[in-house]
Amino acid sequence: MAALLSVNGKEAKRSVIVDWTKLKVREEKERKEEVNRKIASQKAISVILRREATKAIIEKKKATNSKKLLPRTVLEALHERITALRWESALKVFELMREQLWYKPNSAVYVKLIVMVGKCKQPEKARELFQSMIDEGCFVNRESYTALLSAYGRSALFEEAFSILEDMKNTLDCEPDVHTYSILIKSCLQVYDFKKVQLLLSDMASQGIRPNVVTYNTLIDAYGKAKMFEEMEATLVGMLDQQNCEPDVWTMNSTLRAFGASGQIEMMEKCYEKFESAGIEPNIKTFNILLDSYGKSENYQKMGAVMEYMQKYHYSWTIVTYNVVIDAFGRAGDLKQMEYLFRLMRTDSIKPSCVTLCSLIESVLRLIENSDITLDTVFFNCLVDAYGRMGCFAEMKGVLELMESKGCKPDKVTYMSMINAYSSKGMRNHVKELQNLLDSEEMPRLRKTKPDF
């Protein structure tokens, strides 16, 4: 018995020793984890502070340590500005990026910048970027040449654009492809220069380059808008004759829009049936085109049928759908339906656009024209304020002309509403000119000194 107690006592002591050892190990582990957490927290704070410092430098709030900015933050800032087409700000960020110690020339970044300035109608800036790209030793390929060509094409500088096309033909691995030609064709079609388009199509054929679906759809859409229906149909036939170039929903929509906009409703309906029988599924744009065509031709019964079909097959309405239907009811003088749709639009969390507002106001004006209601400055001030809040500056300016035609003079409220609208968008020049009018002694004769914007 004594021997057993002796053994149990030793085991107990050993157990206590083991427990203390485990406790020390656990405490050491917890201490290290706590230290690591503090280090991680400090690193996170450091990164956040550096990101904020980088953003501050980009926004010109600070100017220290500008060569050690965080790459990710600078690239995010650049991407954000490119996406928003803020070309001047984007180029400033790019220059800041080029000053960084970590900067390495990248062809993809240059191409994105060239495309951006091209969209902003800045072809000379595109040329400067293209040259900088070459000077920095970047690989120049078909994509970069096409981006430069597109920049000149968008600004209708076709002599330069065609010159770049010739340069591409004579540059190894930069020969133009169907994408290059399609972009230049689209630029020519923007100004309805069909002669240049035919030259480009002939040039493509001579080099064995076949038009693709995008090329054909661009042509069909342009011919339709120009009401060149024979050419549009011939292009569609050519598309059908070519292998691996089947019409799609874009082809369908362009064709329907062309006939619908010109009032050829029966032809539009026949085309719809043919496209549908060919297995092409309509999309929301298709139904918007049908609704708009039926609305403008005052065929409200078929318009209602389209709406029922959309509801049956769960096609969600877009801002365009609402605008089209609101405009149709406005033409019919049904203000109650317009008001109902406007409320439904807000319920669907769809923000009204300038087009929505114009349709509502035009309907009210049509109603007033057919009544004995006398328009006054207060009414027009409400229009100015409404357009200003929506950012519809062209329409807001148009109210001044409408006031003049109705014999109403703008007052201080009119111009203050305009000043507030311009101020909200940072349009300082317009604000300054209007403020000068308000502060001048010429206020009684504002009608004669109406600002030119």
Side-chain angles (χ1 to χ4, degrees):
M1 184 72 176
L4 180 61
L5 288 173
S6 176
V7 170
N8 288 340
K10 288 178 181 180
E11 288 180 356
K13 287 180 181 180
R14 199 177 295 119
S15 176
V16 170
I17 292 170
V18 171
D19 289 342
W20 275 107
T21 303
K22 287 183 179 179
L23 182 61
K24 286 181 179 180
V25 170
R26 186 167 65 250
E27 287 178 346
E28 181 65 20
K29 183 180 178 182
E30 290 176 353
R31 188 183 68 79
K32 287 182 177 179
E33 288 176 350
E34 181 64 24
V35 170
N36 289 336
R37 276 196 295 271
K38 288 181 179 179
I39 292 172
S41 177
Q42 288 172 355
K43 285 183 178 179
I45 292 171
S46 176
V47 169
I48 292 169
L49 290 174
R50 285 189 66 194
R51 282 177 64 84
E52 293 302 317
T54 299
K55 289 179 182 179
I57 291 169
I58 291 170
E59 299 296 337
K60 290 187 174 181
K61 294 178 183 176
K62 294 182 181 179
T64 58
N65 201 23
S66 60
K67 292 188 178 182
K68 295 182 180 180
L69 303 180
L70 287 175
R72 180 179 173 182
T73 307
V74 176
L75 289 169
E76 284 176 354
L78 182 63
H79 176 73
E80 176 190 322
R81 285 156 175 76
I82 290 174
T83 304
L85 298 180
R86 295 167 54 193
W87 69 270
E88 290 178 302
S89 181
L91 292 182
K92 287 179 181 178
V93 174
F94 181 60
E95 285 305 311
L96 186 65
M97 178 176 162
R98 293 175 71 188
E99 296 172 0
Q100 302 308 303
L101 297 174
W102 45 262
Y103 172 74
K104 289 183 180 179
N106 186 298
S107 298
V109 173
Y110 268 108
V111 170
K112 288 179 181 179
L113 287 166
I114 292 170
V115 170
M116 174 197 66
V117 294
K119 289 179 179 179
C120 298
K121 305 294 179 68
Q122 300 294 324
E124 294 308 315
K125 291 292 181 185
R127 174 68 76 177
E128 290 174 13
L129 286 164
F130 187 80
Q131 188 58 51
S132 295
M133 184 179 176
I134 295 172
D135 294 342
E136 290 193 351
C138 288
F139 179 68
V140 178
N141 57 12
R142 182 186 293 118
E143 186 182 10
S144 48
Y145 265 111
T146 300
L148 180 62
L149 177 146
S150 176
Y152 281 100
R154 286 176 182 273
S155 295
L157 298 172
F158 297 117
E159 186 176 344
E160 292 85 350
F162 275 81
S163 176
I164 294 167
L165 185 67
E166 292 304 315
D167 289 342
M168 291 179 71
K169 293 177 184 177
N170 300 318
T171 305
L172 185 65
D173 297 328
C174 292
E175 294 84 357
D177 60 3
V178 65
H179 177 62
T180 309
Y181 278 102
S182 295
I183 284 177
L184 190 49
I185 286 171
K186 184 176 182 179
S187 297
C188 293
L189 289 173
Q190 292 291 331
V191 295
Y192 298 102
D193 195 335
F194 295 103
K195 288 184 179 179
K196 284 188 175 65
V197 170
Q198 290 305 318
L199 289 173
L200 288 167
L201 290 171
S202 298
D203 194 21
M204 287 175 68
S206 67
Q207 296 184 65
I209 300 173
R210 292 184 177 183
N212 60 13
V213 175
V214 174
T215 317
Y216 279 117
N217 284 345
T218 303
L219 288 165
I220 289 168
D221 187 60
Y223 284 133
K225 288 177 179 176
K227 301 188 186 304
M228 298 170 65
F229 298 111
E230 289 185 11
E231 290 80 357
M232 184 183 78
E233 291 179 35
T235 304
L236 183 57
V237 171
M239 185 180 189
L240 292 169
D241 289 341
Q242 185 169 312
Q243 291 183 348
N244 303 320
C245 194
E246 296 180 358
D248 57 15
V249 70
W250 293 94
T251 321
M252 178 185 192
N253 290 344
S254 294
T255 307
L256 297 182
R257 187 186 297 109
F259 288 120
S262 62
Q264 300 183 54
I265 303 301
E266 289 185 12
M267 182 62 76
M268 179 188 75
E269 291 173 340
K270 288 179 181 178
C271 287
Y272 178 83
E273 290 173 2
K274 287 182 179 179
F275 279 114
E276 193 175 39
S277 63
I280 298 175
E281 291 287 335
N283 59 16
I284 186 63
K285 288 185 178 181
T286 313
F287 295 117
N288 288 342
I289 291 166
L290 293 174
L291 288 171
D292 190 43
S293 301
Y294 286 135
K296 286 177 178 175
S297 62
E298 299 182 359
N299 196 329
Y300 302 113
Q301 185 176 355
K302 288 187 176 180
M303 186 177 165
V306 174
M307 292 163 68
E308 288 177 8
Y309 183 93
M310 291 174 70
Q311 184 176 8
K312 180 180 179 180
Y313 291 98
H314 308 289
Y315 283 91
S316 299
W317 283 28
T318 65
I319 178 66
V320 176
T321 316
Y322 275 107
N323 286 343
V324 164
V325 178
I326 286 173
D327 181 67
F329 282 117
R331 290 172 185 272
D334 194 337
L335 295 183
K336 286 186 178 180
Q337 281 292 345
M338 291 182 75
E339 182 183 0
Y340 169 75
L341 286 166
F342 184 74
R343 292 180 183 278
L344 186 63
M345 185 180 189
R346 302 298 294 270
T347 303
D348 285 348
S349 300
I350 296 177
K351 184 179 179 181
S353 68
C354 192
V355 176
T356 318
L357 186 61
C358 287
S359 294
L360 292 169
I361 291 173
E362 286 170 9
S363 299
V364 172
L365 288 174
R366 277 196 292 266
L367 180 65
I368 291 172
E369 287 289 339
N370 298 322
S371 68
D372 57 355
I373 299 173
T374 302
L375 300 177
D376 58 11
T377 303
V378 174
F379 171 81
F380 287 113
N381 285 347
C382 291
L383 290 188
V384 168
D385 184 60
Y387 280 130
R389 289 175 184 273
M390 292 293 293
C392 306
F393 299 118
E395 289 77 8
M396 185 174 72
K397 175 190 171 184
V399 175
L400 294 181
E401 297 171 0
L402 185 59
M403 290 178 76
E404 188 174 353
S405 68
K406 298 296 181 181
C408 289
K409 294 182 179 180
D411 59 12
K412 186 175 181 180
V413 175
T414 314
Y415 287 98
M416 283 305 300
S417 296
M418 295 179 74
I419 286 172
N420 291 336
Y422 287 131
S423 296
S424 67
K425 298 297 180 181
M427 302 170 73
R428 296 178 183 177
N429 290 337
H430 292 341
V431 170
K432 186 177 180 181
E433 188 172 351
L434 284 169
Q435 194 63 57
N436 289 339
L437 281 171
L438 286 175
D439 295 339
S440 70
E441 297 179 356
E442 300 290 324
M443 190 62 199
R445 291 184 287 173
L446 279 173
R447 183 181 175 188
K448 296 181 181 180
T449 58
K450 185 171 63 178
D452 185 20
F453 50 73

